[in-house]
Amino acid sequence: MIRLVCSCLLILILFVSSGSKGQAESPAGTWKGRWNSTSTGHSGPLRARIWPDGNGGYDARFSGRFAWVVPFTYRAKLQQNACGQWVSSRRMPIVGTYRTTATVAGGRFHASYAGGRETGTFEMIRRPRRR
C-alpha cells in the first residue's frame, strides 16, 4: 500500500513539474526497446504497437525475443489508473496472472511487470511515424 501511494505521489509530482494538466501521455504508437528480468537477469529486444480501443483504453501487442532466438508475442489491454499510470492484468499460461504498470512521458515508455516468479522492466522509446 505504501509503495502504491509513493508511486502515485511520484507520478503527480512529475505531471505538476512538467506543466501537464493531469493527463497522462498517450501510449498510442510504435515503440522499440528492451525487456529486462530483475528476477533472472535475462534481457532481450522488445517492440510494441499500441492503439486506442475506442473505450478510453488501449490495445497493445508486445513482441520480442528471449535468449536472442526464441520469439514471443502477447497482447494486453491498457487502462489508466487514478495515478495516471497505464496498467494491465492478464492470465497467461505457465506464469499465471501477468501484471504490468507503465508510465509514458517524453516519448519514453517505462513499465514494471510481474507474473509468477518473474519480475522485470520494459524500457522503450517511441518510434517516429512513417510518412
Side-chain angles (χ1 to χ4, degrees):
M1 182 66 176
I2 291 173
R3 180 180 259 175
L4 176 64
V5 171
C6 289
S7 294
C8 288
L9 287 174
L10 178 61
I11 297 298
L12 180 62
I13 289 167
L14 288 173
F15 284 133
V16 169
S17 67
S18 69
S20 172
K21 305 236 182 325
Q23 286 292 325
E25 190 174 323
S26 166
T30 304
W31 300 86
K32 182 179 181 180
R34 296 193 62 78
W35 63 271
N36 297 291
S37 170
T38 55
S39 55
T40 66
H42 294 130
S43 66
L46 181 69
R47 292 176 185 256
R49 183 173 165 271
I50 304 173
W51 62 96
D53 68 3
N55 296 317
Y58 291 84
D59 288 321
R61 185 177 65 234
F62 295 92
S63 58
R65 283 179 286 152
F66 176 78
W68 294 104
V69 294
V70 180
F72 66 84
T73 297
Y74 79 94
R75 290 183 178 261
K77 290 213 168 270
L78 300 173
Q79 296 292 323
Q80 191 173 26
N81 68 13
C83 297
Q85 299 168 313
W86 299 100
V87 297
S88 72
S89 179
R90 180 172 179 198
R91 183 133 177 87
M92 297 178 73
I94 302 170
V95 297
T97 301
Y98 191 87
R99 292 180 175 84
T100 305
T101 302
T103 55
V104 178
R108 297 191 177 276
F109 184 103
H110 170 78
S112 58
Y113 67 85
R117 290 185 252 178
E118 177 71 19
T119 59
T121 61
F122 296 163
E123 297 288 342
M124 297 185 290
I125 58 172
R126 191 183 305 269
R127 308 264 330 246
R129 280 189 162 164
R130 293 182 188 171
R131 294 189 186 254

